[in-house]
Each structure stands twice: as C-alpha cells, then as structure tokens.
Amino acid sequence: MGKGQQGYAFAMEDDEAIRRAAEIIRRGGPVAFPTETVYGLGADALAPLAVARIFEVKKRPYFDPLILHVANPGDLGQLVTEIPSGAKKLVDRLWPGPLTVVLPKKEVVPDIVTAGLPTVAVRMPRHAIALRLIQLAESPIAAPSANPFGYLSPTTAAHVRDQLGDQVDLILDGGPCPVGVESTILSFVGGKPRLLRPGGVTLEEIEAMIGRVERPPEEADHPQSPGMLPKHYAPRTPIMLDRSEEGYDYSGKRVGWLGLREPGQPHAFQHVEILSGIGDLKEAAANLFAAIRRLDALNLDLIVAEPVPEVGLGRAIMDRLRRASHRVQWDG
Ligand code: TXA
Ligand code: MG
C-alpha cells in the first residue's frame, strides 16, 4: 500500500493495492482504477447491488447504461449472444484498446447494467492495472468514467480524489491516462456497424478494417444511445467553441483560451492552455480534460475553445468540446 491518505493507493506497480481493490470488488464495493482512456469507477458487473452503488456514487440516472470491462477477448462470448464478423475482426485486432462494442446481451448481464436494454457494451482496456484488477476480481467489471454525472472524465487519480474521494474506498493510481478521451463505441445491433461515440480508436482505423461505418448526425440533439446527452463533459465555466476570438469583445471579462496552439491575441486571455505545441491530435486528446479542469479552477467568466480538425482523434475532441459547450451563448 502506498503512503498518504487512507484508501488512496499511490503505488503504480503495487500488486498489494490491486489485490485489495479486487477484494473490495468481490465484496460488492466500488473502486476507482486507471484505464488507458480515463479513470473508471468499477464494480462487479454481475452483481446488481454492486452496480447500483456506482449509480449512487456518480448520481448517474438509471437510464444511462454502463460499459463492461473484460480481461480477455474470449470473455466477450460469455456476455453476448452473437458476435458478427465485423465485430470479431475489430476485437481481434484492437483489443486490448479503447474500442467498445455493443451487442445483444446474454441473460447473465443484469438489467441495471444495460438500463433495461437488450444490448450490452463491452471492452477490454489496454492498461496493466485494469487488466490485473479484472483478473483478480474474477468477474467482468462494470465501469463508467469516475466523475460525477455530466462532469468531465478524470484522467488522473487526483481528479477522482477531488470529486469522489470521500465516497470511494480505494483509488488505484496509475498516473495520467495515456489516451485521455473515452473509448470509441460501435454498435453492431441491427445489421450495419454504427458509431455511437467517437473516442480513442479513430474512425479511419476502424473503417480501414471493416469498411463504412454509420455516423451520428452532425448535431447530436437526439442521443444515439441513452446517456449520450447533448450537454455532457461540462465544466462549471461556460465553454464557447469559436474560430475567431477577434469577433468578440471580452473587455472586463476573465476569459481563458483552450486550443491546439497560441491564440492570435494572447493578451485577451487570463490563462492560455495549449493542447499540443506541435498540433498533434493524439497529444491534444491526452491533455484535453486536464486542461479544461485547470481552466475551470480559475473561476473565469468564459473559456474560448478553438475547434480542431475533425479527423482522427480530432473527432473525439470535437465531440467532447461540443457537448461541453452545448447551448452556451455569449453576448460580448
Ligand atoms: O473509455 C471508456 O469507455 C471509459 C472507461 C472507464 O472504460 N468508460 C466510459 O463509460 O466512458 P461512461 O459510462 O462514461 O460512458 C458509457 C456510455 C454510456 O453513456 C452509453 O452512452 C454507452 O456507453 N452505452 C453503454 N451501454 C450501451 C448500450 N447497451 N447501448 C448503447 N450505448 C451504450
Ligand atoms: Mg462518462
């Protein structure tokens, strides 16, 4: 066990901490743990009461289904009734990794996990601590991102501690999440593969493997899946997406900048967050949520976010920025 606060496991390579976490999960408790995308709040997926604790801690509405995390690709077959060839191909090539597949569920998956849907979302994370935890728990782990409902996903253990620290018995610390945005969710229900959430695996990579994937309509006012609400991932400070910071008058207001590069008028901003000095979308995704959190902590009047190109990981970044900025208007 690491030093420091009770219930806060610091050591990355500390198998004892992971064992303790697995023990909590076997007894029906929730534990926060790192994945390659974001930190998850996990519980035994096959125990409805344990899963209910997750909803309670996050204040998450019960209509929002959870993702099941497995430690082996072969475990998918125990949770779903069929695996179409496209899904099989992606799982073979991309697991472990930030890809979640939605398929018809088997009876063993409790209704509370799927919000009563006949389908279930499953992924195998690419993170040594997560995989070890699932193995030791001897059950798939249901885990949403470890943040209060509607807020930004945590990408460090400290983010989890700040928001849910008093409600979870143990937070496993694996350092910052290398991918930084949540998994890509693909549904294989009803024939054609359909993108439900852009994420850590790019659409380009997926389409190179299985061909054309249906995309969600541009303005996601109609949730593609329960829980994919137009307003989500939102900080307390209003975020506005805009290309031309010149077009607004911020005088007298405390405004922050979030962009791939320096803003045109740096003096207009109280604080500047640059997601990637070299304009690399992978680096930008890894920095996204922590940068928004830093801006949010400054009690600014507004955060201006520069749109990024919608290719590769830029799709996931823009999806999160759109939801974080949903319906924010600025009168200048
Ligand atoms: O990267 C990730 O996916 C992270 C880490 C912890 O694994 N998890 C995550 O979980 O982002 P969460 O709960 O924040 O988002 C899961 C979303 C739900 O909001 C819902 O939209 C979708 O997955 N989902 C889950 N089950 C579904 C189903 N049966 N059909 C359609 N969508 C589903
Ligand atoms: Mg979430």
Side-chain angles (χ1 to χ4, degrees), residues 8 146 153-164 289-291 293:
Y8 191 59
S153 297
T155 52
T156 67
H159 293 163
V160 182
R161 186 196 49 203
D162 290 348
Q163 293 188 307
L164 299 178
F289 289 137
R293 276 173 192 263

Side-chain angles (χ1 to χ4, degrees), residues 46-239:
L46 305 184
L49 283 178
V51 175
R53 287 283 294 133
I54 294 176
F55 286 91
E56 227 173 90
V57 169
K58 275 193 64 130
K59 300 195 171 54
R60 181 179 175 115
Y62 283 96
F63 63 72
D64 192 356
L66 305 179
I67 295 175
L68 298 203
H69 296 69
V70 296
N72 296 291
D75 294 346
L76 178 61
Q78 290 163 26
L79 302 169
V80 304
T81 56
E82 54 178 296
I83 306 174
S85 63
K88 175 86 173 70
K89 213 184 243 178
L90 292 182
V91 161
D92 285 345
R93 300 199 192 164
L94 297 173
W95 279 10
L99 173 77
T100 296
V101 292
V102 173
L103 294 164
K105 84 174 187 79
K106 278 191 174 163
E107 209 157 314
V108 59
V109 179
D111 284 334
I112 186 170
V113 167
T114 66
L117 293 174
T119 57
V120 64
V122 185
R123 85 176 193 99
M124 176 180 172
R126 189 173 62 226
H127 195 292
I129 295 178
L131 292 172
R132 179 89 178 127
L133 178 66
I134 301 162
Q135 276 157 6
L136 290 173
E138 293 173 350
S139 182
I141 292 182
S145 48
N147 52 280
F149 183 71
Y151 197 70
L152 301 165
S153 297
T155 52
T156 67
H159 293 163
V160 182
R161 186 196 49 203
D162 290 348
Q163 293 188 307
L164 299 178
D166 51 351
Q167 293 173 80
V168 287
D169 291 335
L170 195 77
I171 301 168
L172 289 173
D173 188 348
C177 300
V179 174
V181 290
E182 300 84 347
S183 61
T184 301
I185 306 181
L186 272 191
S187 170
F188 286 87
V189 176
K192 294 195 195 114
R194 209 154 40 92
L195 179 70
L196 299 184
R197 178 176 74 184
V201 176
T202 66
L203 196 56
E204 289 86 343
E205 202 176 339
I206 290 168
E207 290 192 327
M209 291 176 191
I210 60 165
R212 176 88 185 164
V213 165
E214 273 183 52
R215 297 120 200 269
E218 184 73 352
E219 248 314 301
D221 261 327
H222 301 283
Q224 293 298 296
S225 61
M228 289 300 288
L229 305 179
K231 183 156 183 74
H232 207 144
Y233 309 106
R236 287 176 303 269
T237 317
I239 291 198

